[in-house]
């Protein structure tokens, strides 16, 4: 769907160097990278909003490198809502329609569908000023989708939202992506978003793409420090949810709250897993006995792999604590973690 | 006694420094208000009535208003594109262009008149062409409008440029990606959002133009705009006869500005 060949962009402080990227039709693709990596610039280049120095961009089979943005057939949605402040919700949603030859009855049907799907029916006459963050982003999404784009570019659409709204909008994105033929390209900092939404991803740093692949490949074999940091949550498990517990292998993990999904992933950062020799008397809801498999020296910290009934956990521990607790390979330990340290997606 | 100790404690609390600033602030306000207030209440009711019946006065005030508004209209039509270009692009020499726009502010007013006279007079090719076309600026409303546009332009352009700069370029990006062309985006997004600053620009430009004296006198003593008439009355008859005209001019200008604001800012969401 999108083919980028040797793309270079030079924009004052921001540069892209020799970007090559292939994004399949109808896929959900994620761009990850630190601030200043050039993710937004790349999105804007795809949308035709940034002059290209060299290289080419193909959308479908069309070379769009030199076309103005309105000829790209690409909608863009920014992190800070970019609704037109002088237009109400309905006027915002309909904004792009007059530039597209879409049959009136068809577009009306489409708008009704989106309003329903995104829960906007009570907001239509309101001005953006009077909307919450989540509502703003939902309207932005509707406005972007109404014009039947081939591609929707999302620049950290969820990062400015409260956690509750974030989860809600993420589910909506997932649903909408499944129900349409639109290719989604999203920039994100959040690993949970990446793993729950996308099939493939690219990691950017310093204006270059440093790794591309399926999400699994990137999480299993991060190519470099940044990628490893980014996917720092090592303890990722596929689970089945039953009420407030998550089941993986032989383990029952207490989530501390009811989960509505039936299956999904959970992850726990290694530094959130506490090691002890005796069972801890604490408020932590999850505590399991396991066996130390390996201890890796990381300078200030040790990385410790623990086998708990067939499930592998990784924990981080300070050097001092390791000696104090006399943890060695094959010794028995308890691992404990709070329900609030579990991320589910 | 009590009051004194109160004052003392306040001064101790806020500090002498604060009171120095406060008193110099009050002084400045008094400096602005006192002469204006004095002038406004000086003429008698009869004087005011008599003055407004004077055809010369009415004509001059009307001339002042319509030449100033025309200058603003010209600034609006020709200044808006330049303000937009300056707000949205970065190029070498942008600073220079901005300084050129500010020139009319720093040049002494009579000099402006002399300079314009230089190019529209018969000895200059431009003046020659205009003469052939039958356009006369000397002693003509068209000349007054030309001078007022010259002195008012920077106020309009600077206000509107700032307004454009405050509109996030992302809004325009979104509009473009939704299919709108550059002009479509300008008229549907940028222009409506810059309305407020355009109004401010027009008001400032008009206010500046209506107060111009020095540059106009050089180009057109006749027909007389209000400030020129005022000056003439003062020169020939004295303070007493120039005050009522001043009061009328101030009243009419204030009403006009107020009306403009009300008319253009009736939409709630922009408040």
């Amino acid at each position: 769907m999108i083919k980028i060949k040797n793309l270079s962009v030079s924009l004052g402080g921001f540069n892209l160097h020799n970007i090559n990227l292939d994004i399949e039709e109808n896929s959900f693709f994620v761009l990850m990278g630190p601030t200043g990596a050039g993710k937004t610039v790349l999105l804007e280049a795809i949308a035709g909003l940034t002059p290209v120095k060299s290289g080419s961009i193909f959308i479908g089979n069309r070379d769009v490198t030199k076309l103005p943005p309105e000829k790209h057939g690409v909608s863009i949605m920014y992190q800070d809502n970019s609704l037109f402040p002088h237009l109400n919700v309905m006027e915002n949603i309909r904004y792009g329609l007059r530039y597209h030859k879409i049959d009136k009855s068809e577009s009306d049907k489409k708008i009704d569908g989106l309003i329903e799907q995104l829960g906007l029916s009570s907001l239509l006459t309101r001005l953006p000023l009077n909307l919450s963050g989540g509502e703003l982003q939902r309207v932005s999404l509707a406005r972007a989708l109404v014009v039947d784009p081939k591609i929707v570019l999302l620049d950290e659409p969820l990062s400015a939202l409260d956690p509750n709204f974030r989860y809600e909008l993420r589910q909506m994105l997932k649903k909408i992506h499944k129900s349409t033929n639109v290719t989604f390209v999203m920039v994100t900092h959040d690993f949970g978003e990446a793993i729950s939404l996308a099939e493939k991803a690219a990691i950017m740093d310093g204006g270059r793409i440093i790794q591309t692949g399926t999400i699994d490949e990137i999480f299993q074999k991060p190519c470099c420090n940044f990628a490893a940091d980014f996917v720092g949550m090592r303890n990722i498990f596929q689970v089945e949810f039953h009420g407030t517990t998550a089941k993986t292998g032989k383990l029952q993990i207490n989530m501390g709250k009811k989960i509505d999904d039936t299956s999904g992933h959970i992850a726990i950062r290694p530094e959130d897993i506490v090691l002890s020799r005796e069972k801890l008397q604490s408020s932590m809801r999850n505590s399991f006995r396991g066996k130390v498999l390996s201890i890796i020296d990381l300078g200030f910290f040790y990385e410790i792999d623990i086998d708990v009934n067939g499930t592998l956990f990784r924990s981080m521990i300070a050097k001092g604590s390791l000696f104090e607790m006399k943890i060695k390979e094959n010794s028995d330990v308890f691992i404990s973690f709070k329900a609030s340290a579990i991320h589910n997606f | 006694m009590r009051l004194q100790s109160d004052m003392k404690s306040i001064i101790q609390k806020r500090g002498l420094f604060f009171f120095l600033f406060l008193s110099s602030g009050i002084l400045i306000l008094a400096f602005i208000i006192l002469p204006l207030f004095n002038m406004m209440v000086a003429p008698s009711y009869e004087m005011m009535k008599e003055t407004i019946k004077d055809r010369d006065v009415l004509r001059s005030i009307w001339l002042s208003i319509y030449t100033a508004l025309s200058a603003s209209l010209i600034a609006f039509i020709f200044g808006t594109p330049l303000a937009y270009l300056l707000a949205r692009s970065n190029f070498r020499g942008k600073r220079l262009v901005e300084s050129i726009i500010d020139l009319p502010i720093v040049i002494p007013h009579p000099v402006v008149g002399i300079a314009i006279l230089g190019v529209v007079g018969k000895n200059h090719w431009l003046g020659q062409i205009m003469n052939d076309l039958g356009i006369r600026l000397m002693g003509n409303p068209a000349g007054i409008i030309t001078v007022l546009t010259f002195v008012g332009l920077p106020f309009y352009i600077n206000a509107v440029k700032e307004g454009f700069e405050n509109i996030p370029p992302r809004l325009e990006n979104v509009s473009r990606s939704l299919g709108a062309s550059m002009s479509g985006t300008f008229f549907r997004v940028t222009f409506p959002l810059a309305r407020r600053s355009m109004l401010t620009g027009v008001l400032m430009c008009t206010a500046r133009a209506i107060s111009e004296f020095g540059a106009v006198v050089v180009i057109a003593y006749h027909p007389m705009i209000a400030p020129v008439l005022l000056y003439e009355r003062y020169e020939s008859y004295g303070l007493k006869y120039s005050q009522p005209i001043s009061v009328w001019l101030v009243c009419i200008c204030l009403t006009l500005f107020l009306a403009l604001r009300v008319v253009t800012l009736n939409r709630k969401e922009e408040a």
Side-chain angles (χ1 to χ4, degrees):
Chain A
M1 189 67 199
I2 306 176
K3 237 191 186 72
I4 298 173
K5 286 183 194 157
N6 304 320
L7 179 77
S8 291
V9 170
S10 166
L11 241 197
F14 282 105
N15 296 305
L16 296 182
H17 310 280
N18 210 18
I19 302 275
N20 284 291
L21 201 58
D22 232 322
I23 299 175
E24 287 156 30
E25 189 161 357
N26 211 354
S27 63
F28 203 124
F29 193 89
V30 158
L31 280 173
M32 301 181 273
T35 312
K39 297 162 298 187
T40 302
V41 178
L42 180 56
L43 284 194
E44 289 187 340
I46 295 172
L49 296 163
T50 287
V52 167
K53 199 166 93 184
S54 62
S56 52
I57 302 170
F58 286 81
I59 292 178
N61 290 319
R62 222 155 48 107
D63 182 353
V64 298
T65 320
K66 296 215 159 58
L67 294 182
E70 60 267 28
K71 302 257 191 283
H72 278 225
V74 169
S75 288
I76 191 162
M77 183 176 155
Y78 286 107
Q79 162 185 10
D80 49 346
N81 78 90
S82 315
L83 290 185
F84 305 123
H86 58 305
L87 302 178
N88 70 25
V89 167
M90 193 56 167
E91 287 165 340
N92 261 289
I93 296 177
R94 300 188 72 97
Y95 182 88
L97 277 179
R98 72 159 74 168
Y99 307 109
H100 296 82
K101 292 192 187 88
I102 304 173
D103 186 53
K104 174 102 170 61
S105 62
E106 203 172 303
S107 68
D108 283 349
K109 217 168 92 190
K110 179 140 199 188
I111 289 176
D112 288 344
L114 283 167
I115 288 172
E116 158 91 44
Q117 213 169 359
L118 292 164
L120 302 173
S121 54
S122 60
L123 309 174
L124 297 176
T125 56
R126 290 218 222 148
L127 286 170
L129 189 71
N130 306 319
L131 300 182
S132 72
E135 290 166 344
L136 290 167
Q137 292 301 62
R138 268 147 50 200
V139 177
S140 293
L141 187 60
R143 179 180 64 180
L145 289 166
V146 158
V147 297
D148 271 335
K150 297 185 207 95
I151 300 162
V152 174
L153 306 173
L154 306 139
D155 190 2
E156 298 192 44
L158 310 177
S159 60
L161 304 180
D162 294 336
N164 283 340
F165 286 136
R166 199 179 299 175
Y167 179 76
E168 191 186 293
L169 190 59
R170 197 169 78 192
Q171 299 306 102
M172 283 183 182
L173 277 177
K174 202 171 184 170
K175 233 158 115 191
I176 284 171
H177 178 249
K178 275 195 182 138
S179 64
T180 57
N181 302 319
V182 184
T183 307
F184 280 50
V185 182
M186 182 169 91
V187 166
T188 183
H189 276 296
D190 185 298
F191 122 108
E193 283 170 20
I195 206 168
S196 65
L197 290 171
E199 296 116 35
K200 286 192 176 174
I203 292 191
M204 290 185 75
D205 195 13
R208 289 169 213 279
I209 287 186
I210 50 178
Q211 186 174 12
T212 20
T214 65
I215 294 283
D216 277 350
E217 278 166 8
I218 290 177
F219 284 118
Q220 300 307 324
K221 286 183 196 149
C223 71
C224 48
N225 272 344
F226 166 72
D229 272 357
F230 191 82
V231 299
M233 287 202 217
R234 291 308 174 99
N235 304 300
I236 305 170
F237 308 112
Q238 192 161 12
V239 293
E240 279 169 28
F241 295 114
H242 302 283
T244 58
T245 56
K247 221 176 135 208
T248 176
K250 292 172 193 157
L251 288 184
Q252 302 250 7
I253 294 167
N254 187 336
M255 301 292 292
K257 60 182 179 206
K258 195 173 176 313
I259 307 296
D260 290 329
D261 294 335
T262 52
S263 66
H265 291 81
I266 61 166
I268 307 143
R269 289 191 173 275
E271 57 269 32
D272 286 336
I273 294 185
V274 178
L275 289 190
S276 57
R277 292 308 294 262
E278 308 290 327
K279 197 171 167 68
L280 283 183
Q281 298 300 317
S282 81
S283 62
M284 281 188 272
R285 297 196 191 228
N286 291 292
S287 194
F288 304 102
R289 180 197 283 271
K291 199 182 254 326
V292 174
L293 286 182
S294 65
I295 300 172
I296 302 161
D297 189 347
L298 290 178
F300 292 115
F301 290 98
Y302 282 102
E303 200 174 73
I304 301 183
D305 286 353
I306 305 120
D307 174 53
V308 179
N309 237 333
T311 306
L312 182 74
F313 281 88
R314 182 165 286 176
S315 169
M316 296 256 250
I317 186 168
K319 253 184 177 161
S321 318
L322 185 90
F323 287 113
E324 229 168 77
M325 288 194 269
K326 301 193 181 89
I327 292 175
K328 296 196 179 70
E329 279 179 19
N330 282 323
S331 53
D332 279 342
V333 288
F334 281 89
I335 65 162
S336 311
F337 49 90
K338 291 182 183 170
S340 60
I342 308 171
H343 303 260
N344 74 297
F345 33 85
Chain B
M1 262 313 271
R2 176 103 196 274
L3 196 74
Q4 232 175 11
S5 72
D6 269 5
M7 276 306 282
K8 215 172 165 187
S9 81
I10 291 176
I11 288 178
Q12 270 166 357
K13 214 164 159 188
R14 298 271 203 159
L16 191 61
F17 186 74
F18 174 78
F19 279 89
L20 273 174
F21 270 45
L22 189 67
S23 39
S24 75
I26 291 169
L27 199 68
I28 285 289
L29 284 179
F31 176 64
I32 294 172
I33 293 169
L34 186 69
L36 284 179
F37 181 77
N38 184 55
M39 180 195 75
M40 296 298 281
V41 297
S44 66
Y45 178 68
E46 277 71 38
M47 275 289 259
M48 291 292 290
K49 227 163 99 181
E50 204 177 304
T51 311
I52 202 66
K53 280 183 189 153
D54 184 339
R55 292 201 141 227
D56 285 344
V57 172
L58 267 180
R59 206 180 293 135
S60 74
I61 289 181
W62 169 239
L63 183 66
S64 266
I65 289 171
Y66 104 77
T67 49
L69 284 177
S70 307
S72 290
L73 187 69
I74 293 171
F76 168 71
I77 294 169
F78 292 97
T80 306
L82 179 59
Y84 184 68
L85 288 180
L86 285 174
R88 278 293 182 260
S89 51
N90 265 318
F91 52 89
R92 206 177 291 198
K94 184 174 164 183
R95 278 284 173 79
L96 182 70
V97 175
E98 285 170 341
S99 315
I100 291 173
I101 290 167
D102 284 340
L103 273 180
I105 300 178
V106 293
I107 292 178
H109 300 172
V111 177
V112 171
I114 300 286
I116 288 182
L117 209 53
V119 288
V120 300
K122 285 193 182 128
N123 296 326
H124 194 270
W125 59 265
L126 191 62
Q128 203 82 61
I129 294 172
M130 287 169 72
N131 194 43
D132 292 346
L133 291 171
I135 304 169
R136 269 191 52 211
L137 295 187
M138 280 279 287
N140 205 305
I144 300 175
I145 294 172
T146 308
V147 173
L148 296 187
T149 308
F150 191 92
V151 297
L153 258 177
F155 292 89
Y156 179 79
I157 291 180
N158 288 335
V160 177
K161 189 184 85 178
E162 207 188 307
F164 282 139
E165 279 166 348
N166 287 334
I167 300 171
R170 286 185 170 187
L171 290 182
E172 293 173 358
N173 285 350
V174 169
S175 164
R176 294 295 297 277
S177 75
L178 289 171
S181 63
M182 218 168 154
S183 61
T185 299
F186 181 81
F187 286 110
R188 286 186 75 193
V189 177
T190 320
F191 191 86
L193 290 176
R195 254 166 53 117
R196 250 183 114 85
S197 61
M198 284 176 184
L199 174 67
T200 310
V202 163
L203 285 179
M204 285 174 65
C205 180
T206 312
R208 173 68 189 82
I210 237 168
S211 66
E212 183 53 45
F213 172 78
V216 177
V217 161
V218 175
I219 294 269
Y221 193 85
H222 289 282
M224 273 189 212
I225 56 166
V228 176
L229 180 77
L230 218 134
Y231 180 72
E232 199 206 43
R233 290 278 160 103
Y234 169 69
E235 282 279 88
S236 343
Y237 307 106
L239 186 63
K240 212 176 156 202
Y241 288 88
S242 59
Q243 273 171 337
I245 308 178
S246 316
V247 175
W248 277 114
L249 188 60
V250 169
C251 289
I252 290 172
C253 287
L254 284 182
T255 321
L256 190 76
F257 288 142
L258 220 69
L260 247 172
R261 273 209 104 92
V262 172
V263 168
T264 38
L265 279 188
N266 54 359
R267 288 181 67 179
K268 242 189 186 161
E269 71 265 28
E270 284 178 293

